[in-house]
Amino acid sequence: MPYRSNNTSAIFNAFAQFLFLAVLVSLPVLVIRFDIDTLKTGASEGTLVEYMEQFLLSLTILCYAYIAKHNPSFKRFGALVIGFFLCLLIRELDMFFDELVFHGFWVYPAAIVAASAVIYSLTDRTETANQFAAFVNHRNFGLLCMGLAMLLVFSRLFGMSSLWRELLGDGYVRAAKNIAEEGTELMAYVTIFYASLRYVFAMKPAKHKSTHKSDSSVLCKR
């Protein structure tokens, strides 16, 4: 019967999604274990955790670049989104800029990217505002917000030295605090990438719409 087939498909998809998410959330732990057990890098600079964060940020940027390519009306607001994540990537590459130029140099390319994104988005304020509203009203925005909150708020609070000194007392080891903070950041980047990937799949029907119609509604799905 059709309804049985539909139910079976829904149940199978639910299990498949759970398994995919289980693998995804296991990634930060596996990367940290590989850093400690195999690479012996611990919490030092240039860890696999940091490289994975940069890789996930790069994939996130590509997600929104793909959306902007296939949805012309998303380009101006997309510039803000891409610019924001590109600034995060530049910040993650601060060690590279420190060695290549001088300490703290990352601020300058990040400022140029941010200013360029803002200026471009303001070339059509109405369209940018419409796409902003569509983006935040989308069903995946909550997940994206959770990832950003984990990255910008929770990881900072969870990684406070005072918290770990009070918890561990005389047994305080900075490496343990750093691993906890970096692991939380990596989990946040995984969440952000997953939400961004869902945005990509949500906009796919736009390819089948008439080129004469505005596709600003593509991101309005709930």
Side-chain angles (χ1 to χ4, degrees):
M1 294 183 180
Y3 74 90
R4 287 187 178 179
S5 177
N6 291 337
N7 289 341
T8 302
S9 177
I11 294 171
F12 176 80
N13 289 337
F15 275 111
Q17 184 174 18
F18 172 78
L19 291 175
F20 174 74
L21 290 175
V23 172
L24 206 59
V25 300
S26 299
L27 182 63
V29 179
L30 296 175
V31 171
I32 291 173
R33 289 300 299 266
F34 190 78
D35 253 337
I36 297 172
D37 298 339
T38 304
L39 301 181
K40 308 295 182 182
T41 52
S44 61
E45 295 288 342
T47 62
L48 183 60
V49 171
E50 291 183 342
Y51 295 139
M52 184 59 67
E53 289 173 352
Q54 295 161 13
F55 178 66
L56 288 171
L57 262 175
S58 299
L59 291 180
T60 298
I61 292 169
L62 289 176
C63 284
Y64 294 108
Y66 179 86
I67 294 174
K69 177 181 179 181
H70 291 273
N71 291 272
S73 64
F74 181 76
K75 285 185 176 180
R76 286 179 175 77
F77 176 69
L80 290 179
V81 179
I82 293 170
F84 172 74
F85 286 114
L86 186 54
C87 285
L88 289 181
L89 178 59
I90 293 172
R91 177 64 181 87
E92 289 293 337
L93 293 170
D94 62 333
M95 185 178 67
F96 168 77
F97 289 112
D98 290 347
E99 295 177 353
L100 185 65
V101 191
F102 57 81
H103 182 73
F105 177 78
W106 70 270
V107 173
Y108 297 99
I112 292 173
V113 169
S116 300
V118 170
I119 292 172
Y120 178 70
S121 68
L122 291 178
T123 56
D124 192 331
R125 298 184 183 184
T126 301
E127 188 171 293
T128 299
N130 289 339
Q131 275 300 311
F132 196 159
F135 189 81
V136 298
N137 282 327
H138 195 274
R139 62 177 180 269
N140 292 320
F141 183 69
L143 183 61
L144 180 62
C145 258
M146 176 61 72
L148 290 172
M150 288 172 60
L151 175 67
L152 302 175
V153 181
F154 180 76
S155 67
R156 300 295 180 265
L157 296 176
F158 191 60
M160 292 176 63
S161 296
S162 57
L163 173 66
W164 289 90
R165 289 182 186 278
E166 184 177 348
L167 175 65
L168 300 176
D170 294 336
Y172 171 76
V173 179
R174 183 175 178 80
K177 189 276 292 188
N178 288 346
I179 288 174
E181 183 176 4
E182 289 293 330
T184 305
E185 285 189 13
L186 183 54
M187 185 66 244
Y189 282 122
V190 168
T191 305
I192 290 170
F193 169 64
Y194 178 64
S196 303
L197 196 60
R198 289 178 63 91
Y199 267 110
V200 171
F201 284 106
M203 59 71 61
K204 289 182 79 172
K207 294 185 296 184
H208 306 295
K209 290 181 178 293
S210 171
T211 55
H212 300 291
K213 294 181 180 180
S214 171
D215 45 10
S216 62
S217 62
V218 171
L219 291 175
C220 294
K221 295 182 180 180
R222 295 176 182 271

